[in-house]
Amino acid sequence: MLQQTQVSRVVPAFERFIAAFPTVNHLADADERQVLALWSGLGYYRRAKNLHRAAKEIVARFASVVPSDVPSLLSLPGVGRYTAGAISSIAHGRPAPIVDGNVKRVLLRIHAQDLDPGVPATDRWTWDHAADLVNIASSPGVFNEALMELGATVCLAPPSRPMCDRCPIAPYCASRAGLWQTIPRPKQVRPPSDVFCTSLFALDSRGRVLLEQRPSEGMWANMWQLPTLESPDDWPSRPDINAFAQMRSLAIQPAPLAIAPIEFTHQTTHRTVRFRVLVATPLACVRKTRTRHWASLSDLDSLGISNAQRRAIAMAADQRTK
């Protein structure tokens, strides 16, 4: 949960998640929709799906005991080298290395290695050096956490200045004499791509909102949302929106009766998602299917819905009441 998510958001979500799934068996037996619902708000929903799949494999292959060795951990869905090293060293005390951005920066600076942090050769160098260190540590988990914390709080990344006067290994650091300004080299950051989403907010006679489930791959996989037409280049045209709505037995009110569209932007790490929410009217009974159903506004917390879609629903519902 802490990967790509702020601690302040994780704590209450973690407590709810553990209350619902206190053991790996509880998680393995859960319905994926419940898992995604409890993950709502944390983003990167593929992590929740992989965690659910990993729990099933731990039950089936490891007799419900989370393995302690790195090769077994790496065989689980969604577990990479970093996660495997963290579980093996911190939870089981094994001498397994961990390399994140903080550790990479500390190691490169200590050895004054002017290497490109984004290439595989640099990854190999940092993992090898981290392994050498953790293999001689008396407490591998504590050492790994200390190395990460050193990078996070002392050996800071630009534009912050590292606090070399507080660093316990400053006497051994080859970058202390000013090289820290260029080591590691800055990453080449690609600008986020745009996604244009037109969502339709439709209520039935019982005040329930129409939701659809997203595909099993891609952005917000398997999450529930308002019927949404996406485009990578620009807003969909009105004829395309009307055709999209008609396929769902919905109609967009023509001007001047139409309620003004709601617009907002949702920023993710790799995408700028631009939302436009239109109020639609059901033309006929929209039958419930496996990927489409009507949901009470009071029951949305039990569904896996992204923060962006929750905002779209809340803003549209608020507009309808005015």
Side-chain angles (χ1 to χ4, degrees):
M1 286 184 177
L2 285 170
Q3 294 173 3
Q4 306 294 330
T5 312
Q6 295 176 346
V7 174
S8 59
R9 288 187 179 182
V10 166
V11 172
F14 174 79
E15 291 173 346
R16 290 193 299 270
F17 202 86
I18 292 300
F21 313 122
T23 70
V24 68
N25 294 79
H26 286 90
L27 180 56
D29 292 338
D31 184 88
E32 185 183 89
R33 290 174 296 181
Q34 184 186 11
V35 176
L36 291 175
L38 287 168
W39 200 271
S40 290
L42 295 176
Y44 291 86
Y45 293 96
R46 186 181 296 274
R47 294 176 297 169
K49 295 177 65 177
N50 283 332
L51 186 62
H52 190 210
R53 291 170 54 208
K56 291 179 180 292
E57 293 201 17
I58 290 169
V59 170
R61 294 169 46 208
F62 299 101
S64 301
V65 177
V66 178
S68 60
D69 63 289
V70 169
S72 295
L73 288 163
L74 287 173
S75 72
L76 297 172
V79 177
R81 198 172 182 183
Y82 170 86
T83 303
I87 296 172
S88 184
S89 64
I90 298 173
H92 297 286
R94 292 201 172 196
I98 299 176
V99 174
D100 65 357
N102 291 316
V103 171
K104 182 181 290 187
R105 183 169 60 257
V106 169
L107 294 178
L108 290 175
R109 282 178 174 170
I110 289 173
H111 297 278
Q113 292 294 311
D114 184 20
L115 303 176
D116 186 342
V119 301
T122 304
D123 281 340
R124 288 193 295 270
W125 186 91
T126 50
W127 278 99
D128 288 345
H129 279 71
D132 291 341
L133 292 171
V134 78
N135 274 308
I136 60 173
S138 58
S139 180
V142 172
F143 172 80
N144 279 336
E145 291 189 272
L147 198 57
M148 290 188 289
E149 192 71 6
L150 182 66
T153 62
V154 177
C155 193
L156 304 175
S160 299
R161 184 187 182 95
M163 295 178 281
C164 298
D165 57 326
R166 293 179 49 191
C167 181
I169 57 173
Y172 314 101
C173 180
S175 295
R176 189 178 182 186
L179 290 178
W180 58 265
Q181 298 180 69
T182 56
I183 297 178
R185 298 179 193 174
K187 290 183 179 180
Q188 298 297 318
V189 180
R190 291 184 299 177
S193 58
D194 283 335
V195 180
F196 295 83
C197 294
T198 299
S199 296
L200 307 183
F201 179 82
L203 296 178
D204 68 1
S205 59
R206 296 166 58 182
R208 299 177 302 176
V209 63
L210 182 63
L211 297 178
E212 294 183 342
Q213 192 173 30
R214 292 185 63 87
S216 58
E217 299 293 333
M219 182 174 64
W220 296 317
N222 282 353
M223 303 296 285
W224 290 92
Q225 64 176 13
L226 299 173
T228 299
L229 181 59
E230 296 179 10
S231 172
D233 303 315
D234 202 350
W235 296 110
S237 66
R238 179 47 69 100
D240 286 343
I241 295 171
N242 287 338
F244 177 79
Q246 288 174 4
M247 290 177 62
R248 289 149 179 81
S249 297
L250 302 175
I252 310 298
Q253 287 183 322
L257 299 176
I259 298 175
I262 297 164
E263 295 186 358
F264 65 91
T265 298
H266 180 83
Q267 191 68 54
T268 71
T269 303
H270 304 294
R271 299 179 182 91
T272 299
V273 189
R274 306 184 189 280
F275 273 89
R276 178 175 288 169
V277 187
L278 303 176
V279 174
T281 302
L283 295 175
C285 177
V286 181
R287 293 183 178 179
K288 177 181 178 180
T289 67
R290 188 177 61 84
T291 59
R292 183 181 301 139
H293 72 96
W294 295 91
S296 170
L297 292 174
S298 61
D299 293 336
L300 297 183
D301 287 342
S302 64
L303 297 172
I305 303 174
S306 69
N307 280 346
Q309 284 287 333
R310 289 185 184 277
R311 181 179 179 185
I313 294 170
M315 293 175 71
D318 181 65
Q319 188 184 72
R320 284 291 295 262
T321 60
K322 291 182 178 179

